[in-house]
Amino acid sequence: MTAGAGVAVAGTGSPSNPYVISAEGAGLQVHDTPTVDMTLLGAGTDADPHILSAAVRIATTPGNLLTQGPDGLTVACEAVQDCVGEALADGLEYDDSANQIRARVSTQAGNSLSIGPDGGLFAPQGGGNPVTTADTDCIQMEGDGSGAPLSASPRLDSAAGNLLSCGPGGLRAAVTTGTCGLTGNGTAAAPLQARTQAWPYAGPVDANAGGVYCDSAGALRSEPRGRYDFVQSQENVTYPSPAVPSGADNVVTTRSLTVTNPDPCRPAAVILEVEADVDFDLPAGAAGAMGITTDEMVFHRNTGSSAISDWHVQVTKMANMMPIPPGGSATFSIDITMGRGAGGATYNRIQTFLRAFVFVL
C-alpha cells in the first residue's frame, strides 16, 4: 500500500501484521461495498493509530458455491458438478463417481441412437429400425432400412423369349410383330390386334363369314376345308325270263348303295343318280312297263306280228337325299318296278348304276 500526503502506513496487510494507518489532520473514514465489509479501529494518534481491516461478504443465498478458506476465496469443481447434476434436463445424466455429465441414451426397444466412433451421438440413416426382408418369386428386396436403405426391384425371368423389361418408366413388355397376321406393338397407342381386310361382300359379315380358330399347338386355323366324294355301285343280273307282272309299280328288285360322310365335323349333302335298264322279250301284241320307285318311266307294246327280243331302254333318275351326319354312314335303296305286263311279256336282265355325289361345304 502506498500512502498519500499526510498519511502514514505501517504493517504488511497480513492478518498477523495488518496495515496501520495514521493521518495528520482530519480523521479517516471507511465505507463498505456489496462484497467487502470495512472496519476502522483506533483514534489515529501515535498512541492509538488507526487499524483498517476488510472482510469478504459471502451471500447466504441458497445454492451459493463460494467459500472462504485459509488461502482465500474458492469455488470447488465438485460443488459445481453436483449443483449442475441435480438440475439436468431430459437427455442428460450425471455420473458423480466419474465426474461426468453425458448424454442419456434411452433403453426403449427399437432405439438406434448410440455414441458414435467419434464420441458424438449417432443415429443410422433411415431411422435405424432394421427390417428383415424376404424375396418373393417376382420381387427382390435389398437393404435393412438402417445403414442400407430398403429397396425393392422386380425379378425378371432370364429364360429366352421373355418380353418383360424394366426401364426408366417402369416395367414394359415390348412386343415385336411380323408382317403377316398381326399389327401393333402392344402399347396403348398401338394395341396388338389381328391384321384384317375390309369385308367386300354385300351380305353382313356376322351372318356370312366363317370362323378362325386356335389349334392345340397355338396356330390359327380356318373352318374345315370343303370335301367332295363320289361313290357308285353297278349290278347286272340276268333272270330266267319271268313274266312281267300286271298292275302297276310292282317291285321286282331293290338295289342299294352305302355312303360314308368323309368329314368328321360337318354333315354331308348327297345327290343320288340312278340308271336302270331292263331287257324285255315281247311276243307279238305283248306289252310291259318299268320304272324307278313309283315313277313309271318306260312302257312298250309290240304292235308287230313277230316277237321282239331284248328290247330295252336305259333311264336315269336323280334324287336329293337326306344329309349324312359328321363321320356317319347311310344306305340308300332304290326299287326297280314293273307293271302292265300282257301278251306273255317277260324280262331276262336288269342292269342298274347307283351313283352318289357327296358334298361337304
Side-chain angles (χ1 to χ4, degrees):
M1 176 179 289
T2 302
V7 178
V9 178
T12 61
S14 66
S16 60
N17 187 21
Y19 289 121
V20 177
I21 302 172
S22 61
E24 298 177 359
L28 292 176
Q29 295 181 349
V30 296
H31 297 279
D32 293 336
T33 68
T35 57
V36 177
D37 283 337
M38 302 294 295
T39 302
L40 180 63
L41 301 175
T45 63
D46 292 337
D48 187 16
H50 290 302
I51 299 175
L52 179 65
S53 62
V56 175
R57 300 181 65 187
I58 298 176
T60 59
T61 304
N64 186 8
L65 304 180
L66 185 65
T67 61
Q68 182 177 5
D71 295 327
L73 299 175
T74 182
V75 176
C77 178
E78 178 68 21
V80 174
Q81 291 177 172
D82 291 345
C83 181
V84 174
E86 292 174 357
L88 292 179
D90 291 343
L92 296 173
E93 65 180 5
Y94 173 52
D95 186 344
D96 192 18
S97 61
N99 293 322
Q100 291 182 342
I101 295 176
R102 58 194 177 212
R104 179 169 174 251
V105 180
S106 174
T107 58
Q108 181 72 29
N111 184 20
S112 63
L113 186 65
S114 62
I115 306 299
D118 58 356
L121 296 176
F122 172 71
Q125 183 180 2
N129 296 317
V131 177
T132 300
T133 63
D135 295 340
T136 66
D137 290 342
C138 298
I139 299 296
Q140 179 176 326
M141 305 296 295
E142 295 180 351
D144 59 5
S146 57
L150 186 65
S151 65
S153 57
R155 299 180 64 186
L156 304 181
D157 194 333
S158 60
N162 185 10
L163 302 178
L164 193 64
S165 63
C166 184
L171 293 176
R172 179 172 181 264
V175 179
T176 302
T177 61
T179 58
C180 180
L182 295 174
T183 62
N185 58 15
T187 63
L192 191 65
Q193 58 187 4
R195 184 189 297 271
T196 62
Q197 297 181 5
W199 178 254
Y201 307 103
V205 62
D206 289 358
N208 295 279
V212 177
Y213 310 93
C214 186
D215 67 10
S216 59
L220 291 177
R221 300 281 187 172
S222 66
E223 292 190 333
R225 295 176 179 177
R227 295 173 183 261
Y228 164 78
D229 200 4
F230 174 78
V231 183
Q232 75 169 0
S233 69
Q234 186 267 339
E235 290 187 63
N236 190 2
V237 180
T238 59
Y239 297 88
S241 299
V244 176
S246 60
D249 300 330
N250 299 284
V251 177
V252 295
T253 187
T254 299
R255 303 293 168 86
S256 299
L257 176 64
T258 298
V259 179
T260 298
N261 182 353
D263 193 305
C265 301
R266 297 167 298 178
V270 179
I271 297 176
L272 187 64
E273 185 259 348
V274 182
E275 296 180 12
D277 188 358
V278 177
D279 286 12
F280 290 98
D281 292 326
L282 301 173
M290 62 82 59
I292 300 175
T293 64
T294 58
D295 187 4
E296 184 179 283
M297 305 183 74
V298 174
F299 174 76
H300 184 67
R301 183 183 294 276
N302 182 0
T303 59
S305 58
S306 60
I308 300 175
S309 298
D310 296 325
W311 182 90
H312 63 97
V313 175
Q314 185 169 323
V315 296
T316 300
K317 187 177 181 66
M318 298 188 70
N320 183 20
M321 311 308 293
M322 294 294 292
I324 303 176
S329 298
T331 299
F332 302 106
S333 298
I334 298 296
D335 293 332
I336 304 301
T337 59
M338 295 184 190
R340 294 200 282 175
T346 60
Y347 63 93
N348 61 68
R349 185 179 66 91
I350 299 176
Q351 178 178 253
T352 58
F353 288 88
L354 274 64
R355 298 183 177 95
F357 300 87
V358 184
F359 302 94
V360 182
L361 300 176

